[in-house]
């Protein structure tokens, strides 16, 4: 039987010519999909938990620290000591011999934390203590979950361990050159969270903190 020739200007492609084109199209589609996946992963939960030298630097964590610190009033310069005349002792009276002058602290959070860290530390203490107050059987797993829910990432949680019925933990909250850390003990109604002082630079080491 006779086959009619294809009309002028019309070309037919054999299966051998179609296969390379299909392979190239598939490869291009896979490349676009992979690129989209990588872009979607940027800034996600996993990257928020990443850090350098064990210090988490996730955007969500930094945003939480800023949100807490914004509740503090602007730092004011320390007040100068009074320069006026001192009040004289009443006539005939002398200071008691057993009077003890208060001694100003020379180390610890009172003197080594700046005003921003001191105020923010109080707020962090309160929000963490409230979240742990009614926690029954405060195991390390439960305490970590609550801290994560509050925005504290794993890279900033240290020393999480159970001691009797309580779970101890440390939080590295250094930010913007500050030295704030928290020393906590989750024990239901006996929960305690206190400020501590972390090294100014470098990885957080529990033994280097000051309380």
């Amino acid at each position: 039987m006779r086959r009619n020739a294809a009309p002028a200007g019309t070309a037919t492609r054999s299966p051998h010519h179609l296969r390379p084109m299909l392979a190239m199209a598939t490869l291009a589609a896979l490349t676009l999909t992979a690129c989209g996946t990588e872009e979607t992963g940027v800034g996600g939960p996993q990257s928020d938990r990443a850090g350098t030298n064990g210090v988490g630097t996730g955007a969500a964590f930094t945003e939480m620290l800023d949100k807490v610190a914004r509740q503090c009033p602007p730092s004011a310069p320390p007040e100068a000591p009074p320069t006026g005349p001192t009040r004289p002792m009443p006539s005939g009276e002398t200071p008691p011999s057993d009077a003890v002058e208060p001694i100003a602290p020379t180390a610890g959070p009172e003197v080594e934390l700046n005003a921003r860290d001191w105020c923010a530390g109080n707020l962090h203490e309160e929000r963490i203590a409230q979240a742990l107050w009614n926690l029954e059987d405060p195991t390390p797993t439960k305490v970590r979950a609550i801290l994560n829910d509050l925005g504290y990432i794993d890279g900033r949680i240290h020393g999480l361990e159970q001691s009797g019925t309580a779970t101890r933990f440390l939080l590295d909250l250094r930010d913007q050159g500050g030295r704030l850390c928290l020393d906590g003990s989750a024990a239901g109604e006996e929960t305690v969270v206190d400020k501590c002082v972390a090294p100014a630079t470098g990885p957080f080491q529990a033994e280097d903190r000051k309380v």
Side-chain angles (χ1 to χ4, degrees):
M1 183 172 65
R2 182 178 177 183
R3 297 179 182 273
N4 294 328
T10 302
T12 59
R13 300 182 185 271
S14 68
H16 295 292
H17 290 124
L18 290 175
R19 287 174 185 171
M21 296 182 64
L22 290 174
M24 292 177 64
T26 301
L27 179 59
L30 290 175
T31 302
L32 290 174
T33 302
C35 292
T37 303
E38 290 179 2
E39 292 177 359
T40 303
V42 174
Q46 188 63 31
S47 65
D48 284 348
R49 306 171 83 93
T52 303
N53 293 330
V55 178
T57 56
F61 174 71
T62 302
E63 182 179 355
M64 183 271 291
L65 293 182
D66 290 340
K67 183 178 180 180
V68 172
R70 281 197 298 269
Q71 301 176 54
C72 297
S75 301
E79 296 182 359
T83 57
T86 59
R87 182 179 179 183
M89 292 290 295
S91 177
E93 292 188 14
T94 58
S97 59
D98 59 347
V100 178
E101 294 183 1
I103 300 176
T106 58
E110 292 87 351
V111 296
E112 298 190 50
L113 293 179
N114 58 39
R116 179 180 185 272
D117 278 350
W118 184 264
C119 174
N122 291 332
L123 298 174
H124 286 291
E125 289 176 2
E126 182 178 357
R127 69 196 299 263
I128 293 172
Q130 288 182 352
L132 296 174
W133 187 264
N134 295 321
L135 179 62
E136 298 182 1
D137 186 22
T139 63
T141 300
K142 293 180 180 179
V143 171
R144 183 186 297 277
I146 287 180
L147 293 175
N148 288 160
D149 288 343
L150 292 175
Y152 304 98
I153 58 179
D154 288 343
R156 295 297 189 102
I157 301 174
H158 301 273
L160 190 65
E161 61 181 5
Q162 190 158 4
S163 177
T165 59
T167 289
R168 300 291 305 273
F169 62 91
L170 294 166
L171 285 175
D172 176 9
L173 302 183
R174 290 177 293 178
D175 183 49
Q176 298 185 17
R179 302 180 61 186
L180 176 64
C181 64
L182 295 182
D183 188 341
S185 174
E189 295 183 357
E190 302 297 325
T191 294
V192 176
V193 184
D194 291 321
K195 288 181 285 293
C196 57
V197 182
T201 59
F204 182 85
Q205 301 290 341
E207 59 271 17
D208 293 337
R209 78 188 190 283
K210 298 178 183 179
V211 293

